[in-house]
Amino acid sequence: MSTAQYSMNSKKINAECSSTDLEKEESLSRQNPGDNAQEGVSAVYEAKSQLINEYLQTEIGFGRYQWQLFILTGMGWAADDIWLQGVAIILPQIELELKPVRVEYATMALFAGLILGASTWGVLADLIGRRLSFNITLFIAGVFGIAAGAANSFTTLAALIACLGFGVGGNLPVDGAIFLENIPRSHQWLLTLLSVWWALGQLLASLIAWPLIANFSCASATICTKANNMGWRYNFYTLGGITFLMWFLRYFIFNLQESPKYLLAKGRDEDALKVLQHIAHVNGKTLSLTLAQLQAVTGQNIATKTPRPMSNWQIIKRSFSSFSLSHVKPLFSTRRLATNTSLTIALWGLIGLAYPLFNGFITLYLTTHVSDASSSVSTTYRNYVIISILGVPGSVIACFVVDWSRKSQSRFSLGGRKLTMAVSTALTGIFLFLFTTSTKEADILAYSCVTSLTQNAMYGVLYAYTPEVFPAPHRGTGDALCSAFNRMTGIIAPAIKIVTTPASGEASQATANGPIFVAASLFLVSAILMVLLPIETAGKAAL
């Protein structure tokens, strides 16, 4: 296509962005530029973002760069669940060897780190860019994960677990934003598939723990020493090494570029164009977009100086010297956006409490509810592996359903983010209620497996919807608020476990059902709130 044609195309986009009907534009805004406060972005940013979305779709496409990014951001999501499950898995052996007052404090320490990590790295992604947060989070998690395996006291272990939580807690808000901002609209459904890595993280953690803990663990507290209880330490060394390898691949192998939409939001148009040209080159494509076209789309002065590049330290100093709520207020700028933001944060909080109430202590439930089967360590972890395997298809199923509405212009078409989330969340609550009624191993395993499938489908869509619904200039902050609130409520789960079980950690089926009833109820309430979300993002290009 000629330069003249692209110039005409740019003018066309400019005219459309000035019209009163942006419903026709495939973006989250769906508003007149004069009403852009509703989406928390300026008319200038929106027009440039739409132009970039067009070139991502028509010229750059989805190629080698995006596939590499899919794998590396997926590793970050896998690391999140690797450590959630990794800590949950070792609790029985920690209790036998280190003899803490309450072993649940280890889980509370993890969530304390996750809260701080989600808040810090998500906000920093909007202040200093996605790249620095992306490159450092897994390094922190890997180093402290390996160190935790060498802990000789429970206090030391809990402190190191909190530190690894600080690192891994930044992956969900940062990685999802990076992936979304580098893919064309036609492939945004892959953001849902990205959650399959989260399910694979759980599967990997269970597969590693099964042989290590089953074969290198003490049988009772009377003869439990470091020498005969190395299983959980080997487990942490292995998981820490895997996490460190993920960081190595990110930092040394893959040449991650800063997000072009972050650069646009900072007024660095020339840098954003260079990033797009790099992505096109990696994909074997040629980008015809010029700086003149990018700036002309809003009538901007082409002679405007591009800010000089700054070091990471200069960016950090400048960002914090002018830090304010500038990235928070736009998320609540109008009634519609404020309602959607509030409901989204509330959903993350409710699910953040419901999920660990069941999954954080699932090995306990597998033993307390079964009356007709062996309660050996090997059997328990075998069942846990089976449950983890059945969680993987949940994310795949969500992918097939979630963008169904892209094939139809009808606002009532089947599929979409909200409906898929609501159905999968409601099913999760229903199956958890059924779980409490079972006492046979086959029934317990069946309900656990189907619950794993539906809740992974739910999380897959929620992970996609959340970064999509926030515009890029404030996406990191919005994701951080959701993720931090998710961790804040999650820290309540160990407290509920402490209140409902004796200090020994043992519990009868009736006692163990209490937290599960709470979890099931919270999932059902969440399903209702999902239907009430005012914004649907399926089939629209994210700003």
Side-chain angles (χ1 to χ4, degrees), residues 256-277:
L256 175 73
Q257 300 294 299
E258 184 54 85
S259 164
K261 293 185 178 179
Y262 164 80
L263 295 172
L264 277 186
K266 296 298 182 182
R268 297 164 59 184
D269 294 355
E270 187 174 352
D271 291 334
L273 183 60
K274 289 179 180 178
V275 169
L276 293 172
Q277 290 170 342

Side-chain angles (χ1 to χ4, degrees), residues 29-66:
S29 179
R30 303 179 67 186
Q31 298 293 323
N32 183 282
D35 297 328
N36 273 310
Q38 178 159 342
E39 300 302 330
V41 296
S42 68
V44 172
Y45 170 81
E46 183 181 6
K48 291 180 180 179
S49 180
Q50 288 176 345
L51 183 61
I52 283 182
N53 284 340
E54 178 188 349
Y55 279 89
L56 274 171
Q57 181 67 42
T58 59
E59 289 195 1
I60 298 176
F62 191 94
R64 180 181 176 185
Y65 184 89
Q66 285 84 3

Side-chain angles (χ1 to χ4, degrees), residues 26-30 38-41 45-46 49 53 57 77 130 172-195 261 331 336-337 340-341 344 348 398-399 401-406 415-421 458-480 482 533-543:
E26 295 180 326
S27 70
L28 290 179
S29 179
R30 303 179 67 186
Q38 178 159 342
E39 300 302 330
V41 296
Y45 170 81
E46 183 181 6
S49 180
N53 284 340
Q57 181 67 42
W77 284 28
R130 288 34 167 158
L172 293 186
V174 175
D175 292 10
I178 289 176
F179 185 68
L180 177 63
E181 292 166 8
N182 284 279
I183 59 177
R185 181 193 68 255
S186 59
H187 287 73
Q188 280 184 200
W189 60 272
L190 280 171
L191 191 60
T192 301
L193 186 61
L194 197 64
S195 67
K261 293 185 178 179
L331 301 176
R336 179 171 179 262
L337 189 58
N340 203 85
T341 299
T344 304
W348 277 87
C399 274
V401 179
V402 73
D403 254 355
W404 214 332
S405 59
R406 288 198 308 126
R417 302 330 190 211
K418 296 194 298 181
L419 178 62
T420 308
M421 275 196 298
M458 169 202 68
Y459 258 128
V461 186
L462 185 61
Y463 286 153
Y465 178 85
T466 303
E468 284 179 340
V469 83
F470 297 131
H474 320 293
R475 182 168 290 136
T477 300
D479 287 352
C482 293
L533 287 166
I535 299 177
E536 171 62 75
T537 64
K540 303 179 181 70
L543 290 180

Side-chain angles (χ1 to χ4, degrees), residues 16 41 101 196 260 273 275 313 339 350 369 403 452 508 513 526:
E16 289 174 345
V41 296
V101 176
V196 77
L273 183 60
V275 169
W313 176 243
T339 299
L350 292 172
H369 283 71
D403 254 355
S452 180
S508 64
N513 278 342
S526 298

